[in-house]
Amino acid sequence: MKLDLLVRILLGAVAGWLTGKAADGERDGRGFSRGNKQRRDVICGVIGALVGQPLFFWVIIGSSSFGKYATAVLGAIAVVGAARLMGARLQRARSTAH
């Protein structure tokens, strides 16, 4: 049980980091230094991995280990994407307010 949780956290961290690397070409998150943006992606990935199973249980049929880990990765990608989208919108709102 504890090993399963540790694997989900590690998968979330890696998936969050990779999702951030894939989205690096976009202009969102300009207000953050490079290290903070990567740290935020990893933290959001871990959070997404932990909430991934309740969010995406309908995508994966069965309760195998693969299903648990796949929902962890899907959750990490979703939370990192949502955080980057919200960050970009806040940045745009700040720039139009000035």
Side-chain angles (χ1 to χ4, degrees):
M1 187 69 155
K2 291 181 183 181
L3 182 63
D4 183 49
L5 181 64
L6 180 64
V7 171
R8 289 175 63 94
I9 289 171
L10 289 174
L11 275 174
V14 171
W17 179 73
L18 286 174
T19 302
K21 288 298 228 179
D24 248 356
E26 298 180 20
R27 297 185 310 157
D28 57 350
R30 287 179 289 178
F32 297 97
S33 69
R34 187 154 189 76
N36 287 340
K37 188 166 50 168
Q38 289 175 350
R39 191 174 307 124
R40 182 187 61 188
D41 291 339
V42 169
I43 291 170
C44 287
V46 170
I47 292 169
L50 295 176
V51 299
Q53 190 169 9
L55 290 176
F56 295 107
F57 70 93
W58 49 270
V59 175
I60 306 296
I61 297 179
S63 60
S64 66
S65 292
F66 174 76
K68 291 178 184 178
Y69 301 144
T71 55
V73 171
L74 285 173
I77 291 170
V79 171
V80 169
R84 282 184 165 249
L85 181 64
M86 288 185 339
R89 289 186 183 222
L90 284 173
Q91 192 75 13
R92 193 176 322 137
R94 286 183 196 151
S95 66
T96 57
H98 294 315

mmCIF file of all heavy atoms in Angstrom, residues 62-91:
data_model
loop_
_atom_site.group_PDB
_atom_site.id
_atom_site.type_symbol
_atom_site.label_atom_id
_atom_site.label_comp_id
_atom_site.label_asym_id
_atom_site.label_seq_id
_atom_site.Cartn_x
_atom_site.Cartn_y
_atom_site.Cartn_z
ATOM 1 N N GLY A 62 -11.231 -1.419 -14.725
ATOM 2 C CA GLY A 62 -10.497 -2.364 -13.894
ATOM 3 C C GLY A 62 -9.714 -1.634 -12.825
ATOM 4 O O GLY A 62 -9.485 -0.436 -12.892
ATOM 5 N N SER A 63 -9.310 -2.381 -11.837
ATOM 6 C CA SER A 63 -8.566 -1.774 -10.737
ATOM 7 C C SER A 63 -7.172 -2.373 -10.638
ATOM 8 O O SER A 63 -6.664 -2.617 -9.556
ATOM 9 C CB SER A 63 -9.331 -1.948 -9.424
ATOM 10 O OG SER A 63 -9.492 -3.321 -9.165
ATOM 11 N N SER A 64 -6.573 -2.633 -11.768
ATOM 12 C CA SER A 64 -5.232 -3.194 -11.781
ATOM 13 C C SER A 64 -4.210 -2.124 -11.414
ATOM 14 O O SER A 64 -4.524 -0.940 -11.316
ATOM 15 C CB SER A 64 -4.918 -3.752 -13.161
ATOM 16 O OG SER A 64 -4.866 -2.695 -14.103
ATOM 17 N N SER A 65 -2.986 -2.536 -11.235
ATOM 18 C CA SER A 65 -1.913 -1.574 -10.943
ATOM 19 C C SER A 65 -1.732 -0.621 -12.106
ATOM 20 O O SER A 65 -1.506 0.575 -11.911
ATOM 21 C CB SER A 65 -0.611 -2.309 -10.674
ATOM 22 O OG SER A 65 -0.698 -3.030 -9.478
ATOM 23 N N PHE A 66 -1.832 -1.142 -13.325
ATOM 24 C CA PHE A 66 -1.702 -0.279 -14.504
ATOM 25 C C PHE A 66 -2.773 0.801 -14.495
ATOM 26 O O PHE A 66 -2.497 1.958 -14.804
ATOM 27 C CB PHE A 66 -1.801 -1.096 -15.796
ATOM 28 C CG PHE A 66 -1.824 -0.230 -17.023
ATOM 29 C CD1 PHE A 66 -0.664 0.363 -17.482
ATOM 30 C CD2 PHE A 66 -3.019 0.020 -17.688
ATOM 31 C CE1 PHE A 66 -0.679 1.180 -18.602
ATOM 32 C CE2 PHE A 66 -3.045 0.829 -18.806
ATOM 33 C CZ PHE A 66 -1.875 1.406 -19.267
ATOM 34 N N GLY A 67 -3.988 0.455 -14.134
ATOM 35 C CA GLY A 67 -5.077 1.419 -14.088
ATOM 36 C C GLY A 67 -4.829 2.513 -13.065
ATOM 37 O O GLY A 67 -5.077 3.687 -13.319
ATOM 38 N N LYS A 68 -4.311 2.137 -11.902
ATOM 39 C CA LYS A 68 -4.007 3.123 -10.870
ATOM 40 C C LYS A 68 -2.919 4.079 -11.333
ATOM 41 O O LYS A 68 -2.998 5.285 -11.120
ATOM 42 C CB LYS A 68 -3.563 2.427 -9.588
ATOM 43 C CG LYS A 68 -4.658 1.681 -8.889
ATOM 44 C CD LYS A 68 -4.115 0.975 -7.668
ATOM 45 C CE LYS A 68 -5.187 0.143 -7.001
ATOM 46 N NZ LYS A 68 -4.671 -0.580 -5.845
ATOM 47 N N TYR A 69 -1.899 3.541 -11.981
ATOM 48 C CA TYR A 69 -0.791 4.381 -12.425
ATOM 49 C C TYR A 69 -1.185 5.235 -13.631
ATOM 50 O O TYR A 69 -0.752 6.372 -13.760
ATOM 51 C CB TYR A 69 0.436 3.531 -12.729
ATOM 52 C CG TYR A 69 0.913 2.737 -11.529
ATOM 53 C CD1 TYR A 69 1.427 1.466 -11.667
ATOM 54 C CD2 TYR A 69 0.824 3.263 -10.247
ATOM 55 C CE1 TYR A 69 1.863 0.748 -10.574
ATOM 56 C CE2 TYR A 69 1.243 2.550 -9.134
ATOM 57 C CZ TYR A 69 1.773 1.282 -9.307
ATOM 58 O OH TYR A 69 2.189 0.581 -8.220
ATOM 59 N N ALA A 70 -2.027 4.699 -14.488
ATOM 60 C CA ALA A 70 -2.488 5.479 -15.640
ATOM 61 C C ALA A 70 -3.345 6.658 -15.185
ATOM 62 O O ALA A 70 -3.226 7.764 -15.721
ATOM 63 C CB ALA A 70 -3.273 4.584 -16.605
ATOM 64 N N THR A 71 -4.192 6.438 -14.193
ATOM 65 C CA THR A 71 -4.993 7.555 -13.688
ATOM 66 C C THR A 71 -4.119 8.579 -12.967
ATOM 67 O O THR A 71 -4.422 9.766 -12.980
ATOM 68 C CB THR A 71 -6.116 7.066 -12.747
ATOM 69 O OG1 THR A 71 -5.543 6.293 -11.694
ATOM 70 C CG2 THR A 71 -7.156 6.266 -13.497
ATOM 71 N N ALA A 72 -3.016 8.128 -12.365
ATOM 72 C CA ALA A 72 -2.085 9.069 -11.731
ATOM 73 C C ALA A 72 -1.454 9.976 -12.779
ATOM 74 O O ALA A 72 -1.350 11.192 -12.595
ATOM 75 C CB ALA A 72 -1.001 8.310 -10.967
ATOM 76 N N VAL A 73 -1.052 9.401 -13.898
ATOM 77 C CA VAL A 73 -0.441 10.194 -14.969
ATOM 78 C C VAL A 73 -1.469 11.140 -15.588
ATOM 79 O O VAL A 73 -1.185 12.319 -15.827
ATOM 80 C CB VAL A 73 0.190 9.271 -16.028
ATOM 81 C CG1 VAL A 73 0.636 10.048 -17.248
ATOM 82 C CG2 VAL A 73 1.374 8.518 -15.435
ATOM 83 N N LEU A 74 -2.671 10.651 -15.843
ATOM 84 C CA LEU A 74 -3.722 11.509 -16.398
ATOM 85 C C LEU A 74 -4.048 12.667 -15.457
ATOM 86 O O LEU A 74 -4.227 13.807 -15.893
ATOM 87 C CB LEU A 74 -4.992 10.693 -16.669
ATOM 88 C CG LEU A 74 -4.974 9.770 -17.876
ATOM 89 C CD1 LEU A 74 -6.237 8.915 -17.886
ATOM 90 C CD2 LEU A 74 -4.864 10.562 -19.147
ATOM 91 N N GLY A 75 -4.128 12.388 -14.178
ATOM 92 C CA GLY A 75 -4.399 13.443 -13.207
ATOM 93 C C GLY A 75 -3.282 14.472 -13.163
ATOM 94 O O GLY A 75 -3.537 15.678 -13.078
ATOM 95 N N ALA A 76 -2.038 14.016 -13.234
ATOM 96 C CA ALA A 76 -0.900 14.941 -13.222
ATOM 97 C C ALA A 76 -0.927 15.854 -14.430
ATOM 98 O O ALA A 76 -0.731 17.071 -14.317
ATOM 99 C CB ALA A 76 0.411 14.151 -13.179
ATOM 100 N N ILE A 77 -1.189 15.293 -15.599
ATOM 101 C CA ILE A 77 -1.247 16.096 -16.824
ATOM 102 C C ILE A 77 -2.380 17.112 -16.732
ATOM 103 O O ILE A 77 -2.219 18.284 -17.097
ATOM 104 C CB ILE A 77 -1.407 15.185 -18.055
ATOM 105 C CG1 ILE A 77 -0.119 14.381 -18.261
ATOM 106 C CG2 ILE A 77 -1.744 15.995 -19.301
ATOM 107 C CD1 ILE A 77 -0.250 13.274 -19.286
ATOM 108 N N ALA A 78 -3.536 16.686 -16.231
ATOM 109 C CA ALA A 78 -4.695 17.587 -16.145
ATOM 110 C C ALA A 78 -4.437 18.743 -15.182
ATOM 111 O O ALA A 78 -4.755 19.900 -15.500
ATOM 112 C CB ALA A 78 -5.929 16.799 -15.705
ATOM 113 N N VAL A 79 -3.864 18.467 -14.020
ATOM 114 C CA VAL A 79 -3.651 19.525 -13.036
ATOM 115 C C VAL A 79 -2.560 20.489 -13.494
ATOM 116 O O VAL A 79 -2.694 21.707 -13.339
ATOM 117 C CB VAL A 79 -3.346 18.923 -11.642
ATOM 118 C CG1 VAL A 79 -2.911 19.987 -10.660
ATOM 119 C CG2 VAL A 79 -4.566 18.200 -11.109
ATOM 120 N N VAL A 80 -1.487 19.974 -14.087
ATOM 121 C CA VAL A 80 -0.440 20.862 -14.600
ATOM 122 C C VAL A 80 -0.997 21.737 -15.721
ATOM 123 O O VAL A 80 -0.758 22.944 -15.768
ATOM 124 C CB VAL A 80 0.786 20.065 -15.086
ATOM 125 C CG1 VAL A 80 1.755 20.946 -15.850
ATOM 126 C CG2 VAL A 80 1.495 19.420 -13.914
ATOM 127 N N GLY A 81 -1.779 21.147 -16.612
ATOM 128 C CA GLY A 81 -2.382 21.928 -17.688
ATOM 129 C C GLY A 81 -3.318 23.007 -17.165
ATOM 130 O O GLY A 81 -3.300 24.143 -17.631
ATOM 131 N N ALA A 82 -4.131 22.650 -16.183
ATOM 132 C CA ALA A 82 -5.055 23.632 -15.607
ATOM 133 C C ALA A 82 -4.301 24.751 -14.898
ATOM 134 O O ALA A 82 -4.661 25.927 -15.011
ATOM 135 C CB ALA A 82 -6.012 22.936 -14.635
ATOM 136 N N ALA A 83 -3.238 24.404 -14.173
ATOM 137 C CA ALA A 83 -2.460 25.427 -13.474
ATOM 138 C C ALA A 83 -1.781 26.368 -14.464
ATOM 139 O O ALA A 83 -1.752 27.582 -14.258
ATOM 140 C CB ALA A 83 -1.411 24.766 -12.578
ATOM 141 N N ARG A 84 -1.259 25.822 -15.550
ATOM 142 C CA ARG A 84 -0.621 26.673 -16.559
ATOM 143 C C ARG A 84 -1.644 27.561 -17.259
ATOM 144 O O ARG A 84 -1.366 28.721 -17.550
ATOM 145 C CB ARG A 84 0.137 25.829 -17.570
ATOM 146 C CG ARG A 84 1.458 25.354 -17.017
ATOM 147 C CD ARG A 84 2.236 24.603 -18.067
ATOM 148 N NE ARG A 84 3.602 24.481 -17.633
ATOM 149 C CZ ARG A 84 4.617 25.113 -18.196
ATOM 150 N NH1 ARG A 84 4.421 25.880 -19.234
ATOM 151 N NH2 ARG A 84 5.837 24.957 -17.743
ATOM 152 N N LEU A 85 -2.821 27.025 -17.523
ATOM 153 C CA LEU A 85 -3.870 27.821 -18.158
ATOM 154 C C LEU A 85 -4.316 28.957 -17.249
ATOM 155 O O LEU A 85 -4.457 30.098 -17.696
ATOM 156 C CB LEU A 85 -5.062 26.928 -18.517
ATOM 157 C CG LEU A 85 -6.230 27.604 -19.208
ATOM 158 C CD1 LEU A 85 -5.808 28.145 -20.567
ATOM 159 C CD2 LEU A 85 -7.375 26.628 -19.368
ATOM 160 N N MET A 86 -4.520 28.674 -15.978
ATOM 161 C CA MET A 86 -4.913 29.719 -15.041
ATOM 162 C C MET A 86 -3.807 30.755 -14.880
ATOM 163 O O MET A 86 -4.076 31.952 -14.794
ATOM 164 C CB MET A 86 -5.276 29.113 -13.692
ATOM 165 C CG MET A 86 -6.582 28.363 -13.727
ATOM 166 S SD MET A 86 -7.227 27.710 -12.171
ATOM 167 C CE MET A 86 -5.876 27.600 -11.087
ATOM 168 N N GLY A 87 -2.556 30.307 -14.850
ATOM 169 C CA GLY A 87 -1.437 31.241 -14.751
ATOM 170 C C GLY A 87 -1.354 32.162 -15.953
ATOM 171 O O GLY A 87 -1.097 33.361 -15.823
ATOM 172 N N ALA A 88 -1.599 31.619 -17.137
ATOM 173 C CA ALA A 88 -1.564 32.439 -18.349
ATOM 174 C C ALA A 88 -2.693 33.461 -18.348
ATOM 175 O O ALA A 88 -2.495 34.620 -18.728
ATOM 176 C CB ALA A 88 -1.663 31.547 -19.586
ATOM 177 N N ARG A 89 -3.862 33.053 -17.905
ATOM 178 C CA ARG A 89 -4.992 33.991 -17.857
ATOM 179 C C ARG A 89 -4.767 35.085 -16.823
ATOM 180 O O ARG A 89 -5.100 36.242 -17.062
ATOM 181 C CB ARG A 89 -6.285 33.252 -17.582
ATOM 182 C CG ARG A 89 -6.712 32.440 -18.781
ATOM 183 C CD ARG A 89 -8.048 31.822 -18.578
ATOM 184 N NE ARG A 89 -8.344 31.001 -19.741
ATOM 185 C CZ ARG A 89 -9.524 30.963 -20.301
ATOM 186 N NH1 ARG A 89 -10.507 31.678 -19.813
ATOM 187 N NH2 ARG A 89 -9.726 30.206 -21.346
ATOM 188 N N LEU A 90 -4.211 34.736 -15.680
ATOM 189 C CA LEU A 90 -3.908 35.756 -14.671
ATOM 190 C C LEU A 90 -2.848 36.727 -15.178
ATOM 191 O O LEU A 90 -2.951 37.937 -14.969
ATOM 192 C CB LEU A 90 -3.424 35.092 -13.381
ATOM 193 C CG LEU A 90 -4.490 34.438 -12.522
ATOM 194 C CD1 LEU A 90 -3.843 33.670 -11.374
ATOM 195 C CD2 LEU A 90 -5.446 35.473 -11.986
ATOM 196 N N GLN A 91 -1.853 36.204 -15.869
ATOM 197 C CA GLN A 91 -0.799 37.057 -16.420
ATOM 198 C C GLN A 91 -1.386 38.017 -17.455
ATOM 199 O O GLN A 91 -1.040 39.192 -17.490
ATOM 200 C CB GLN A 91 0.289 36.181 -17.048
ATOM 201 C CG GLN A 91 1.541 36.912 -17.402
ATOM 202 C CD GLN A 91 2.362 37.243 -16.172
ATOM 203 O OE1 GLN A 91 2.123 36.740 -15.084
ATOM 204 N NE2 GLN A 91 3.325 38.115 -16.338
#
